[in-house]
Amino acid sequence: MAMRQPAAGSAYAKEAAEAQRSGFSAFFTAEQWRSIEALMTERRVEEGSFLFWEGEPADKLYFILSGKVKLRKSTEDGKEFILSILQEGDLTGGPEAGRQSVYGFSAEAAREARIGVIAWKELEALLLSSGELAVRWMNGMALQQRIAESKFRDLLLYGKPGALASTLIRLSNSYGRLRPNGLEIGLRLTNAELAEFIGTTRESVNRMLASMKDEGIVSVKGGLITIADLPALRRLCGCPSCPACPKEVCRI
């Protein structure tokens, strides 16, 4: 069923609707985003189900309307990485540079999700019809590329402890909640899942987290990690102070 956006009844309603948009959709005006929404077909995905698999033809894009989606990457030696955990407002999929290609990763629903599916050919026609919309789309994709590059930088330059520290900082920027004892990451992840973010073993993550807890950098209660010493985490991964690395980039 195609998406439909209710007409705004007043200028205030229009401004309120625009203010509620986040993530990728925030790059566009309300009118531009309605034209993109009109291309979407809503799809409900159960937890554990896949939107697409690595190696399938990349002819669709997927916009997260609600829920959470994990992006997974497999290596030739059988290892799996979690590239990202997308949430409401995020976009994934689509061909590279507008060419026919295959998906370079798989997308799995981490929770029940509502997805807006867009056929690339229909989107391409819309982008060709509006130069301003195409530029805004390009800006949104450039931000996604910058996020990916910053993750690879942390993985390559600062070793496993730095990569874990970077992952925790990004998780706190995406899902953090301020608590009396620090910044709580409001997303339960097992140590095995944390290991998949940085390409190491669960045992290595166990040891690194234990060391961080001993040093008072983090605490863990009820399966939730709380960051008690954010500057210490930043030192581990050579993280620059904001606004040099804004939260729009420093996210999971």
PDB file of all heavy atoms in Angstrom, residues 179-218:
ATOM      1  N   ARG A 179      21.622   9.792  33.001  1.00  0.00           N
ATOM      2  CA  ARG A 179      21.272   9.243  34.302  1.00  0.00           C
ATOM      3  C   ARG A 179      22.174   9.870  35.360  1.00  0.00           C
ATOM      4  O   ARG A 179      23.221  10.442  35.041  1.00  0.00           O
ATOM      5  CB  ARG A 179      21.444   7.719  34.307  1.00  0.00           C
ATOM      6  CG  ARG A 179      20.533   6.983  33.314  1.00  0.00           C
ATOM      7  CD  ARG A 179      19.087   7.050  33.786  1.00  0.00           C
ATOM      8  NE  ARG A 179      18.227   6.186  32.983  1.00  0.00           N
ATOM      9  CZ  ARG A 179      17.250   6.619  32.225  1.00  0.00           C
ATOM     10  NH1 ARG A 179      17.014   7.927  32.147  1.00  0.00           N
ATOM     11  NH2 ARG A 179      16.493   5.775  31.545  1.00  0.00           N
ATOM     12  N   PRO A 180      21.800   9.766  36.657  1.00  0.00           N
ATOM     13  CA  PRO A 180      22.645  10.365  37.704  1.00  0.00           C
ATOM     14  C   PRO A 180      24.081   9.848  37.703  1.00  0.00           C
ATOM     15  O   PRO A 180      25.007  10.573  38.077  1.00  0.00           O
ATOM     16  CB  PRO A 180      21.916   9.966  39.002  1.00  0.00           C
ATOM     17  CG  PRO A 180      20.498   9.790  38.593  1.00  0.00           C
ATOM     18  CD  PRO A 180      20.540   9.228  37.210  1.00  0.00           C
ATOM     19  N   ASN A 181      24.281   8.592  37.293  1.00  0.00           N
ATOM     20  CA  ASN A 181      25.631   8.003  37.312  1.00  0.00           C
ATOM     21  C   ASN A 181      26.325   8.027  35.963  1.00  0.00           C
ATOM     22  O   ASN A 181      27.377   7.416  35.783  1.00  0.00           O
ATOM     23  CB  ASN A 181      25.567   6.566  37.835  1.00  0.00           C
ATOM     24  CG  ASN A 181      24.677   5.673  36.973  1.00  0.00           C
ATOM     25  OD1 ASN A 181      23.738   6.153  36.350  1.00  0.00           O
ATOM     26  ND2 ASN A 181      24.972   4.384  36.951  1.00  0.00           N
ATOM     27  N   GLY A 182      25.733   8.714  34.987  1.00  0.00           N
ATOM     28  CA  GLY A 182      26.384   8.811  33.689  1.00  0.00           C
ATOM     29  C   GLY A 182      25.417   8.752  32.526  1.00  0.00           C
ATOM     30  O   GLY A 182      24.223   9.028  32.673  1.00  0.00           O
ATOM     31  N   LEU A 183      25.925   8.353  31.364  1.00  0.00           N
ATOM     32  CA  LEU A 183      25.139   8.302  30.135  1.00  0.00           C
ATOM     33  C   LEU A 183      24.810   6.840  29.832  1.00  0.00           C
ATOM     34  O   LEU A 183      25.689   6.062  29.447  1.00  0.00           O
ATOM     35  CB  LEU A 183      25.934   8.928  28.990  1.00  0.00           C
ATOM     36  CG  LEU A 183      25.204   9.237  27.686  1.00  0.00           C
ATOM     37  CD1 LEU A 183      24.043  10.197  27.915  1.00  0.00           C
ATOM     38  CD2 LEU A 183      26.177   9.834  26.675  1.00  0.00           C
ATOM     39  N   GLU A 184      23.547   6.479  30.023  1.00  0.00           N
ATOM     40  CA  GLU A 184      23.121   5.099  29.822  1.00  0.00           C
ATOM     41  C   GLU A 184      22.777   4.844  28.362  1.00  0.00           C
ATOM     42  O   GLU A 184      22.040   5.607  27.748  1.00  0.00           O
ATOM     43  CB  GLU A 184      21.901   4.808  30.695  1.00  0.00           C
ATOM     44  CG  GLU A 184      21.372   3.389  30.575  1.00  0.00           C
ATOM     45  CD  GLU A 184      20.092   3.200  31.362  1.00  0.00           C
ATOM     46  OE1 GLU A 184      19.011   3.583  30.839  1.00  0.00           O
ATOM     47  OE2 GLU A 184      20.169   2.711  32.499  1.00  0.00           O
ATOM     48  N   ILE A 185      23.316   3.758  27.799  1.00  0.00           N
ATOM     49  CA  ILE A 185      22.998   3.361  26.427  1.00  0.00           C
ATOM     50  C   ILE A 185      21.703   2.549  26.480  1.00  0.00           C
ATOM     51  O   ILE A 185      21.688   1.422  26.967  1.00  0.00           O
ATOM     52  CB  ILE A 185      24.143   2.536  25.815  1.00  0.00           C
ATOM     53  CG1 ILE A 185      25.423   3.378  25.746  1.00  0.00           C
ATOM     54  CG2 ILE A 185      23.765   2.047  24.417  1.00  0.00           C
ATOM     55  CD1 ILE A 185      26.653   2.600  25.346  1.00  0.00           C
ATOM     56  N   GLY A 186      20.627   3.126  25.990  1.00  0.00           N
ATOM     57  CA  GLY A 186      19.308   2.518  26.120  1.00  0.00           C
ATOM     58  C   GLY A 186      19.031   1.453  25.076  1.00  0.00           C
ATOM     59  O   GLY A 186      17.926   1.396  24.518  1.00  0.00           O
ATOM     60  N   LEU A 187      20.016   0.621  24.791  1.00  0.00           N
ATOM     61  CA  LEU A 187      19.865  -0.460  23.822  1.00  0.00           C
ATOM     62  C   LEU A 187      20.654  -1.647  24.352  1.00  0.00           C
ATOM     63  O   LEU A 187      21.866  -1.561  24.541  1.00  0.00           O
ATOM     64  CB  LEU A 187      20.403  -0.042  22.446  1.00  0.00           C
ATOM     65  CG  LEU A 187      20.303  -1.070  21.325  1.00  0.00           C
ATOM     66  CD1 LEU A 187      18.844  -1.332  20.959  1.00  0.00           C
ATOM     67  CD2 LEU A 187      21.063  -0.590  20.084  1.00  0.00           C
ATOM     68  N   ARG A 188      19.947  -2.742  24.617  1.00  0.00           N
ATOM     69  CA  ARG A 188      20.617  -3.926  25.160  1.00  0.00           C
ATOM     70  C   ARG A 188      21.348  -4.681  24.054  1.00  0.00           C
ATOM     71  O   ARG A 188      20.745  -5.094  23.081  1.00  0.00           O
ATOM     72  CB  ARG A 188      19.602  -4.845  25.843  1.00  0.00           C
ATOM     73  CG  ARG A 188      19.166  -4.352  27.211  1.00  0.00           C
ATOM     74  CD  ARG A 188      18.220  -5.331  27.889  1.00  0.00           C
ATOM     75  NE  ARG A 188      17.974  -4.944  29.251  1.00  0.00           N
ATOM     76  CZ  ARG A 188      17.069  -4.039  29.639  1.00  0.00           C
ATOM     77  NH1 ARG A 188      16.321  -3.446  28.714  1.00  0.00           N
ATOM     78  NH2 ARG A 188      16.918  -3.725  30.903  1.00  0.00           N
ATOM     79  N   LEU A 189      22.646  -4.827  24.228  1.00  0.00           N
ATOM     80  CA  LEU A 189      23.476  -5.572  23.293  1.00  0.00           C
ATOM     81  C   LEU A 189      24.310  -6.573  24.074  1.00  0.00           C
ATOM     82  O   LEU A 189      24.857  -6.250  25.133  1.00  0.00           O
ATOM     83  CB  LEU A 189      24.409  -4.636  22.518  1.00  0.00           C
ATOM     84  CG  LEU A 189      23.761  -3.661  21.537  1.00  0.00           C
ATOM     85  CD1 LEU A 189      24.790  -2.656  21.045  1.00  0.00           C
ATOM     86  CD2 LEU A 189      23.147  -4.403  20.357  1.00  0.00           C
ATOM     87  N   THR A 190      24.414  -7.789  23.558  1.00  0.00           N
ATOM     88  CA  THR A 190      25.281  -8.775  24.186  1.00  0.00           C
ATOM     89  C   THR A 190      26.736  -8.454  23.845  1.00  0.00           C
ATOM     90  O   THR A 190      27.029  -7.705  22.907  1.00  0.00           O
ATOM     91  CB  THR A 190      24.950 -10.191  23.693  1.00  0.00           C
ATOM     92  OG1 THR A 190      25.270 -10.284  22.298  1.00  0.00           O
ATOM     93  CG2 THR A 190      23.472 -10.501  23.887  1.00  0.00           C
ATOM     94  N   ASN A 191      27.641  -9.043  24.623  1.00  0.00           N
ATOM     95  CA  ASN A 191      29.064  -8.852  24.314  1.00  0.00           C
ATOM     96  C   ASN A 191      29.421  -9.457  22.962  1.00  0.00           C
ATOM     97  O   ASN A 191      30.331  -8.978  22.279  1.00  0.00           O
ATOM     98  CB  ASN A 191      29.922  -9.461  25.421  1.00  0.00           C
ATOM     99  CG  ASN A 191      29.887  -8.625  26.696  1.00  0.00           C
ATOM    100  OD1 ASN A 191      29.212  -7.593  26.750  1.00  0.00           O
ATOM    101  ND2 ASN A 191      30.602  -9.068  27.715  1.00  0.00           N
ATOM    102  N   ALA A 192      28.697 -10.502  22.578  1.00  0.00           N
ATOM    103  CA  ALA A 192      28.929 -11.089  21.250  1.00  0.00           C
ATOM    104  C   ALA A 192      28.544 -10.097  20.155  1.00  0.00           C
ATOM    105  O   ALA A 192      29.234  -9.989  19.132  1.00  0.00           O
ATOM    106  CB  ALA A 192      28.128 -12.378  21.105  1.00  0.00           C
ATOM    107  N   GLU A 193      27.453  -9.350  20.360  1.00  0.00           N
ATOM    108  CA  GLU A 193      27.048  -8.352  19.372  1.00  0.00           C
ATOM    109  C   GLU A 193      28.044  -7.193  19.338  1.00  0.00           C
ATOM    110  O   GLU A 193      28.383  -6.691  18.256  1.00  0.00           O
ATOM    111  CB  GLU A 193      25.643  -7.847  19.691  1.00  0.00           C
ATOM    112  CG  GLU A 193      24.555  -8.870  19.379  1.00  0.00           C
ATOM    113  CD  GLU A 193      23.183  -8.414  19.824  1.00  0.00           C
ATOM    114  OE1 GLU A 193      23.067  -7.889  20.952  1.00  0.00           O
ATOM    115  OE2 GLU A 193      22.232  -8.590  19.054  1.00  0.00           O
ATOM    116  N   LEU A 194      28.530  -6.768  20.508  1.00  0.00           N
ATOM    117  CA  LEU A 194      29.553  -5.713  20.536  1.00  0.00           C
ATOM    118  C   LEU A 194      30.807  -6.182  19.789  1.00  0.00           C
ATOM    119  O   LEU A 194      31.451  -5.398  19.087  1.00  0.00           O
ATOM    120  CB  LEU A 194      29.904  -5.351  21.980  1.00  0.00           C
ATOM    121  CG  LEU A 194      28.871  -4.534  22.748  1.00  0.00           C
ATOM    122  CD1 LEU A 194      29.287  -4.391  24.212  1.00  0.00           C
ATOM    123  CD2 LEU A 194      28.700  -3.149  22.126  1.00  0.00           C
ATOM    124  N   ALA A 195      31.138  -7.460  19.946  1.00  0.00           N
ATOM    125  CA  ALA A 195      32.307  -8.003  19.250  1.00  0.00           C
ATOM    126  C   ALA A 195      32.126  -7.927  17.744  1.00  0.00           C
ATOM    127  O   ALA A 195      33.097  -7.701  17.003  1.00  0.00           O
ATOM    128  CB  ALA A 195      32.547  -9.446  19.692  1.00  0.00           C
ATOM    129  N   GLU A 196      30.894  -8.124  17.270  1.00  0.00           N
ATOM    130  CA  GLU A 196      30.648  -8.076  15.820  1.00  0.00           C
ATOM    131  C   GLU A 196      30.796  -6.662  15.255  1.00  0.00           C
ATOM    132  O   GLU A 196      31.032  -6.502  14.059  1.00  0.00           O
ATOM    133  CB  GLU A 196      29.249  -8.616  15.511  1.00  0.00           C
ATOM    134  CG  GLU A 196      29.126 -10.128  15.669  1.00  0.00           C
ATOM    135  CD  GLU A 196      27.761 -10.638  15.302  1.00  0.00           C
ATOM    136  OE1 GLU A 196      26.770  -9.893  15.463  1.00  0.00           O
ATOM    137  OE2 GLU A 196      27.663 -11.788  14.849  1.00  0.00           O
ATOM    138  N   PHE A 197      30.670  -5.650  16.093  1.00  0.00           N
ATOM    139  CA  PHE A 197      30.880  -4.278  15.629  1.00  0.00           C
ATOM    140  C   PHE A 197      32.353  -4.018  15.313  1.00  0.00           C
ATOM    141  O   PHE A 197      32.657  -3.188  14.450  1.00  0.00           O
ATOM    142  CB  PHE A 197      30.424  -3.269  16.685  1.00  0.00           C
ATOM    143  CG  PHE A 197      28.962  -2.940  16.635  1.00  0.00           C
ATOM    144  CD1 PHE A 197      28.107  -3.402  17.606  1.00  0.00           C
ATOM    145  CD2 PHE A 197      28.439  -2.152  15.622  1.00  0.00           C
ATOM    146  CE1 PHE A 197      26.753  -3.097  17.570  1.00  0.00           C
ATOM    147  CE2 PHE A 197      27.100  -1.840  15.568  1.00  0.00           C
ATOM    148  CZ  PHE A 197      26.244  -2.313  16.558  1.00  0.00           C
ATOM    149  N   ILE A 198      33.258  -4.682  16.029  1.00  0.00           N
ATOM    150  CA  ILE A 198      34.676  -4.331  15.912  1.00  0.00           C
ATOM    151  C   ILE A 198      35.518  -5.486  15.387  1.00  0.00           C
ATOM    152  O   ILE A 198      36.752  -5.391  15.359  1.00  0.00           O
ATOM    153  CB  ILE A 198      35.231  -3.828  17.263  1.00  0.00           C
ATOM    154  CG1 ILE A 198      35.142  -4.919  18.337  1.00  0.00           C
ATOM    155  CG2 ILE A 198      34.483  -2.581  17.700  1.00  0.00           C
ATOM    156  CD1 ILE A 198      35.762  -4.496  19.668  1.00  0.00           C
ATOM    157  N   GLY A 199      34.895  -6.594  14.990  1.00  0.00           N
ATOM    158  CA  GLY A 199      35.629  -7.689  14.378  1.00  0.00           C
ATOM    159  C   GLY A 199      36.539  -8.434  15.326  1.00  0.00           C
ATOM    160  O   GLY A 199      37.678  -8.773  14.971  1.00  0.00           O
ATOM    161  N   THR A 200      36.048  -8.690  16.546  1.00  0.00           N
ATOM    162  CA  THR A 200      36.844  -9.442  17.508  1.00  0.00           C
ATOM    163  C   THR A 200      35.981 -10.515  18.144  1.00  0.00           C
ATOM    164  O   THR A 200      34.865 -10.775  17.693  1.00  0.00           O
ATOM    165  CB  THR A 200      37.443  -8.494  18.570  1.00  0.00           C
ATOM    166  OG1 THR A 200      38.399  -9.209  19.362  1.00  0.00           O
ATOM    167  CG2 THR A 200      36.369  -7.897  19.468  1.00  0.00           C
ATOM    168  N   THR A 201      36.465 -11.144  19.188  1.00  0.00           N
ATOM    169  CA  THR A 201      35.729 -12.217  19.845  1.00  0.00           C
ATOM    170  C   THR A 201      34.980 -11.701  21.067  1.00  0.00           C
ATOM    171  O   THR A 201      35.316 -10.641  21.622  1.00  0.00           O
ATOM    172  CB  THR A 201      36.681 -13.339  20.292  1.00  0.00           C
ATOM    173  OG1 THR A 201      37.585 -12.816  21.282  1.00  0.00           O
ATOM    174  CG2 THR A 201      37.474 -13.874  19.106  1.00  0.00           C
ATOM    175  N   ARG A 202      33.987 -12.483  21.472  1.00  0.00           N
ATOM    176  CA  ARG A 202      33.234 -12.125  22.684  1.00  0.00           C
ATOM    177  C   ARG A 202      34.160 -12.094  23.898  1.00  0.00           C
ATOM    178  O   ARG A 202      34.021 -11.227  24.769  1.00  0.00           O
ATOM    179  CB  ARG A 202      32.114 -13.144  22.902  1.00  0.00           C
ATOM    180  CG  ARG A 202      31.300 -12.917  24.168  1.00  0.00           C
ATOM    181  CD  ARG A 202      30.192 -13.946  24.304  1.00  0.00           C
ATOM    182  NE  ARG A 202      30.716 -15.302  24.301  1.00  0.00           N
ATOM    183  CZ  ARG A 202      31.220 -15.921  25.374  1.00  0.00           C
ATOM    184  NH1 ARG A 202      31.291 -15.277  26.538  1.00  0.00           N
ATOM    185  NH2 ARG A 202      31.670 -17.156  25.286  1.00  0.00           N
ATOM    186  N   GLU A 203      35.120 -13.025  23.948  1.00  0.00           N
ATOM    187  CA  GLU A 203      36.036 -13.074  25.088  1.00  0.00           C
ATOM    188  C   GLU A 203      36.881 -11.799  25.173  1.00  0.00           C
ATOM    189  O   GLU A 203      37.142 -11.291  26.279  1.00  0.00           O
ATOM    190  CB  GLU A 203      36.946 -14.309  24.973  1.00  0.00           C
ATOM    191  CG  GLU A 203      36.250 -15.649  25.168  1.00  0.00           C
ATOM    192  CD  GLU A 203      35.422 -16.071  23.969  1.00  0.00           C
ATOM    193  OE1 GLU A 203      35.625 -15.498  22.865  1.00  0.00           O
ATOM    194  OE2 GLU A 203      34.572 -16.968  24.135  1.00  0.00           O
ATOM    195  N   SER A 204      37.293 -11.278  24.011  1.00  0.00           N
ATOM    196  CA  SER A 204      38.077 -10.032  24.003  1.00  0.00           C
ATOM    197  C   SER A 204      37.251  -8.867  24.520  1.00  0.00           C
ATOM    198  O   SER A 204      37.745  -8.034  25.295  1.00  0.00           O
ATOM    199  CB  SER A 204      38.573  -9.731  22.590  1.00  0.00           C
ATOM    200  OG  SER A 204      39.508 -10.694  22.168  1.00  0.00           O
ATOM    201  N   VAL A 205      35.981  -8.804  24.113  1.00  0.00           N
ATOM    202  CA  VAL A 205      35.101  -7.747  24.604  1.00  0.00           C
ATOM    203  C   VAL A 205      34.883  -7.896  26.104  1.00  0.00           C
ATOM    204  O   VAL A 205      34.868  -6.901  26.842  1.00  0.00           O
ATOM    205  CB  VAL A 205      33.761  -7.752  23.845  1.00  0.00           C
ATOM    206  CG1 VAL A 205      32.746  -6.834  24.526  1.00  0.00           C
ATOM    207  CG2 VAL A 205      33.974  -7.316  22.410  1.00  0.00           C
ATOM    208  N   ASN A 206      34.739  -9.137  26.582  1.00  0.00           N
ATOM    209  CA  ASN A 206      34.591  -9.367  28.024  1.00  0.00           C
ATOM    210  C   ASN A 206      35.759  -8.756  28.782  1.00  0.00           C
ATOM    211  O   ASN A 206      35.578  -8.055  29.800  1.00  0.00           O
ATOM    212  CB  ASN A 206      34.532 -10.868  28.332  1.00  0.00           C
ATOM    213  CG  ASN A 206      33.241 -11.523  27.859  1.00  0.00           C
ATOM    214  OD1 ASN A 206      32.272 -10.834  27.532  1.00  0.00           O
ATOM    215  ND2 ASN A 206      33.238 -12.841  27.815  1.00  0.00           N
ATOM    216  N   ARG A 207      36.976  -9.028  28.298  1.00  0.00           N
ATOM    217  CA  ARG A 207      38.174  -8.526  28.986  1.00  0.00           C
ATOM    218  C   ARG A 207      38.251  -7.011  28.928  1.00  0.00           C
ATOM    219  O   ARG A 207      38.578  -6.355  29.936  1.00  0.00           O
ATOM    220  CB  ARG A 207      39.431  -9.143  28.361  1.00  0.00           C
ATOM    221  CG  ARG A 207      39.608 -10.631  28.647  1.00  0.00           C
ATOM    222  CD  ARG A 207      41.002 -11.096  28.274  1.00  0.00           C
ATOM    223  NE  ARG A 207      41.223 -11.018  26.830  1.00  0.00           N
ATOM    224  CZ  ARG A 207      40.971 -12.015  25.991  1.00  0.00           C
ATOM    225  NH1 ARG A 207      40.467 -13.151  26.435  1.00  0.00           N
ATOM    226  NH2 ARG A 207      41.217 -11.882  24.695  1.00  0.00           N
ATOM    227  N   MET A 208      37.966  -6.434  27.758  1.00  0.00           N
ATOM    228  CA  MET A 208      38.060  -4.969  27.628  1.00  0.00           C
ATOM    229  C   MET A 208      37.018  -4.265  28.483  1.00  0.00           C
ATOM    230  O   MET A 208      37.305  -3.249  29.136  1.00  0.00           O
ATOM    231  CB  MET A 208      37.931  -4.572  26.156  1.00  0.00           C
ATOM    232  CG  MET A 208      39.140  -4.945  25.318  1.00  0.00           C
ATOM    233  SD  MET A 208      39.064  -4.319  23.608  1.00  0.00           S
ATOM    234  CE  MET A 208      37.874  -5.446  22.872  1.00  0.00           C
ATOM    235  N   LEU A 209      35.784  -4.804  28.506  1.00  0.00           N
ATOM    236  CA  LEU A 209      34.747  -4.189  29.348  1.00  0.00           C
ATOM    237  C   LEU A 209      35.087  -4.328  30.825  1.00  0.00           C
ATOM    238  O   LEU A 209      34.847  -3.403  31.613  1.00  0.00           O
ATOM    239  CB  LEU A 209      33.387  -4.828  29.062  1.00  0.00           C
ATOM    240  CG  LEU A 209      32.624  -4.332  27.838  1.00  0.00           C
ATOM    241  CD1 LEU A 209      31.315  -5.094  27.689  1.00  0.00           C
ATOM    242  CD2 LEU A 209      32.340  -2.840  27.929  1.00  0.00           C
ATOM    243  N   ALA A 210      35.642  -5.485  31.215  1.00  0.00           N
ATOM    244  CA  ALA A 210      36.034  -5.684  32.615  1.00  0.00           C
ATOM    245  C   ALA A 210      37.091  -4.661  33.023  1.00  0.00           C
ATOM    246  O   ALA A 210      37.046  -4.095  34.127  1.00  0.00           O
ATOM    247  CB  ALA A 210      36.559  -7.102  32.813  1.00  0.00           C
ATOM    248  N   SER A 211      38.050  -4.414  32.108  1.00  0.00           N
ATOM    249  CA  SER A 211      39.084  -3.411  32.391  1.00  0.00           C
ATOM    250  C   SER A 211      38.476  -2.022  32.518  1.00  0.00           C
ATOM    251  O   SER A 211      38.848  -1.246  33.420  1.00  0.00           O
ATOM    252  CB  SER A 211      40.134  -3.434  31.276  1.00  0.00           C
ATOM    253  OG  SER A 211      41.105  -2.429  31.470  1.00  0.00           O
ATOM    254  N   MET A 212      37.525  -1.685  31.616  1.00  0.00           N
ATOM    255  CA  MET A 212      36.862  -0.375  31.689  1.00  0.00           C
ATOM    256  C   MET A 212      36.061  -0.220  32.972  1.00  0.00           C
ATOM    257  O   MET A 212      36.024   0.865  33.569  1.00  0.00           O
ATOM    258  CB  MET A 212      35.950  -0.184  30.474  1.00  0.00           C
ATOM    259  CG  MET A 212      36.674   0.005  29.153  1.00  0.00           C
ATOM    260  SD  MET A 212      35.510   0.188  27.772  1.00  0.00           S
ATOM    261  CE  MET A 212      36.638   0.351  26.388  1.00  0.00           C
ATOM    262  N   LYS A 213      35.437  -1.314  33.416  1.00  0.00           N
ATOM    263  CA  LYS A 213      34.668  -1.254  34.667  1.00  0.00           C
ATOM    264  C   LYS A 213      35.602  -1.059  35.857  1.00  0.00           C
ATOM    265  O   LYS A 213      35.303  -0.279  36.763  1.00  0.00           O
ATOM    266  CB  LYS A 213      33.834  -2.528  34.837  1.00  0.00           C
ATOM    267  CG  LYS A 213      32.614  -2.575  33.924  1.00  0.00           C
ATOM    268  CD  LYS A 213      31.680  -3.724  34.268  1.00  0.00           C
ATOM    269  CE  LYS A 213      32.225  -5.038  33.760  1.00  0.00           C
ATOM    270  NZ  LYS A 213      31.250  -6.155  33.961  1.00  0.00           N
ATOM    271  N   ASP A 214      36.740  -1.761  35.862  1.00  0.00           N
ATOM    272  CA  ASP A 214      37.709  -1.614  36.951  1.00  0.00           C
ATOM    273  C   ASP A 214      38.233  -0.187  37.038  1.00  0.00           C
ATOM    274  O   ASP A 214      38.537   0.306  38.134  1.00  0.00           O
ATOM    275  CB  ASP A 214      38.877  -2.588  36.745  1.00  0.00           C
ATOM    276  CG  ASP A 214      38.471  -4.040  36.952  1.00  0.00           C
ATOM    277  OD1 ASP A 214      37.405  -4.276  37.568  1.00  0.00           O
ATOM    278  OD2 ASP A 214      39.211  -4.938  36.491  1.00  0.00           O
ATOM    279  N   GLU A 215      38.362   0.466  35.888  1.00  0.00           N
ATOM    280  CA  GLU A 215      38.882   1.843  35.862  1.00  0.00           C
ATOM    281  C   GLU A 215      37.785   2.878  36.081  1.00  0.00           C
ATOM    282  O   GLU A 215      38.063   4.090  36.054  1.00  0.00           O
ATOM    283  CB  GLU A 215      39.577   2.096  34.522  1.00  0.00           C
ATOM    284  CG  GLU A 215      40.819   1.240  34.309  1.00  0.00           C
ATOM    285  CD  GLU A 215      41.428   1.439  32.930  1.00  0.00           C
ATOM    286  OE1 GLU A 215      41.207   2.522  32.348  1.00  0.00           O
ATOM    287  OE2 GLU A 215      42.105   0.526  32.435  1.00  0.00           O
ATOM    288  N   GLY A 216      36.540   2.427  36.249  1.00  0.00           N
ATOM    289  CA  GLY A 216      35.441   3.358  36.492  1.00  0.00           C
ATOM    290  C   GLY A 216      34.971   4.101  35.255  1.00  0.00           C
ATOM    291  O   GLY A 216      34.294   5.125  35.365  1.00  0.00           O
ATOM    292  N   ILE A 217      35.309   3.583  34.081  1.00  0.00           N
ATOM    293  CA  ILE A 217      34.908   4.250  32.837  1.00  0.00           C
ATOM    294  C   ILE A 217      33.464   3.919  32.481  1.00  0.00           C
ATOM    295  O   ILE A 217      32.709   4.775  32.024  1.00  0.00           O
ATOM    296  CB  ILE A 217      35.858   3.846  31.684  1.00  0.00           C
ATOM    297  CG1 ILE A 217      37.293   4.292  31.995  1.00  0.00           C
ATOM    298  CG2 ILE A 217      35.390   4.453  30.363  1.00  0.00           C
ATOM    299  CD1 ILE A 217      38.310   3.807  30.985  1.00  0.00           C
ATOM    300  N   VAL A 218      33.084   2.656  32.684  1.00  0.00           N
ATOM    301  CA  VAL A 218      31.712   2.222  32.397  1.00  0.00           C
ATOM    302  C   VAL A 218      31.199   1.371  33.549  1.00  0.00           C
ATOM    303  O   VAL A 218      31.974   0.859  34.372  1.00  0.00           O
ATOM    304  CB  VAL A 218      31.614   1.412  31.073  1.00  0.00           C
ATOM    305  CG1 VAL A 218      32.137   2.211  29.896  1.00  0.00           C
ATOM    306  CG2 VAL A 218      32.335   0.077  31.199  1.00  0.00           C
TER     307      VAL A 218
END
